[in-house]
Amino acid sequence: MMATSPIPGDVPVSLNEARGWLRLGPSIDDAVVAQLLRAATGICEAYIGQWLIVRTAEETLPLRSGAARPTARPVIAVETATLLTREEGETILGAADYRLMREPGGAVQLVVAAPGDADRVRIVYRAGLADGVNAVPEAIRQGIVRMTQHLYDARDGTGATPPAVIAALWQPWRMLSLGGAR
């Protein structure tokens, strides 16, 4: 299951910045550009395997040997962890009942001290690379602007392949795991 967030992530590039890069006059195609900025931000997050700006996530994950791996990266903090059983029983864990182990590549593992007969855990946590839009690395922001330009230019179906410079700008932040798991 992928992590869900009750609110979408913020876009680290302003509408004015994108409009300036696209050389558009004031308020020309604002709705289109705003939608493309959101799409470009989502593409960036999918490519690098990390949420850009910290936001809250909630996931229900299987417990395997008392451990679960949240999918959003990078995990900043766990707000709540609740053990779930097949009989619909719930046990809210205290901070001393679990630990968060950081793994290479930015992943984390939530390890429950005594899972009992629980087969799943519901985790509410915060994840993201930067505390706010101004803390997102400039290379990532530039890649989002360039992806927005690519999407804007390709609206008529031409130019389907994004420029390689976008991947080059995002590559230093890309997190991959063996086996394709993120």
Side-chain angles (χ1 to χ4, degrees):
M1 174 182 176
M2 288 298 291
T4 60
S5 178
I7 57 168
D10 290 333
V11 177
V13 176
S14 74
L15 185 58
N16 285 336
E17 289 174 292
R19 207 176 3 194
W21 182 263
L22 294 170
R23 296 184 183 110
L24 297 175
S27 73
I28 294 176
D29 288 341
D30 276 0
V32 171
V33 174
Q35 181 183 34
L36 295 177
L37 276 170
R38 288 189 302 275
T41 300
I43 292 167
C44 175
E45 287 183 341
Y47 182 81
I48 69 172
Q50 300 184 72
W51 284 0
L52 294 178
I53 300 171
V54 175
R55 61 189 187 261
T56 301
E58 181 175 336
E59 283 185 284
T60 299
L61 300 166
L63 269 175
R64 294 188 178 104
S65 301
R69 285 188 171 84
T71 58
R73 289 184 188 180
V75 173
I76 305 302
V78 172
E79 294 178 1
T80 63
T82 306
L83 292 176
L84 305 171
T85 64
R86 286 193 178 100
E87 294 78 31
E88 304 304 319
E90 293 189 5
T91 304
I92 297 172
L93 298 175
D97 298 328
Y98 63 87
R99 67 177 194 247
L100 207 56
M101 294 176 49
R102 304 238 175 245
E103 298 178 343
V108 297
Q109 187 177 40
L110 181 99
V111 180
V112 179
D117 60 350
D119 61 341
R120 295 167 293 141
V121 62
R122 183 175 52 240
I123 309 169
V124 177
Y125 60 99
R126 293 181 315 117
L129 185 63
D131 286 330
V133 295
N134 294 326
V136 174
E138 195 58 38
I140 290 176
R141 296 176 77 249
Q142 183 60 218
I144 290 171
V145 167
R146 287 175 180 257
M147 179 57 80
T148 301
Q149 177 186 13
H150 168 72
L151 295 171
Y152 187 83
D153 292 342
R155 288 178 300 162
D156 60 2
T158 60
T161 304
V165 70
I166 297 169
L169 288 165
W170 293 341
Q171 190 64 37
W173 289 273
R174 192 167 193 198
M175 298 290 172
L176 296 175
S177 300
L178 292 176
R182 288 188 180 237

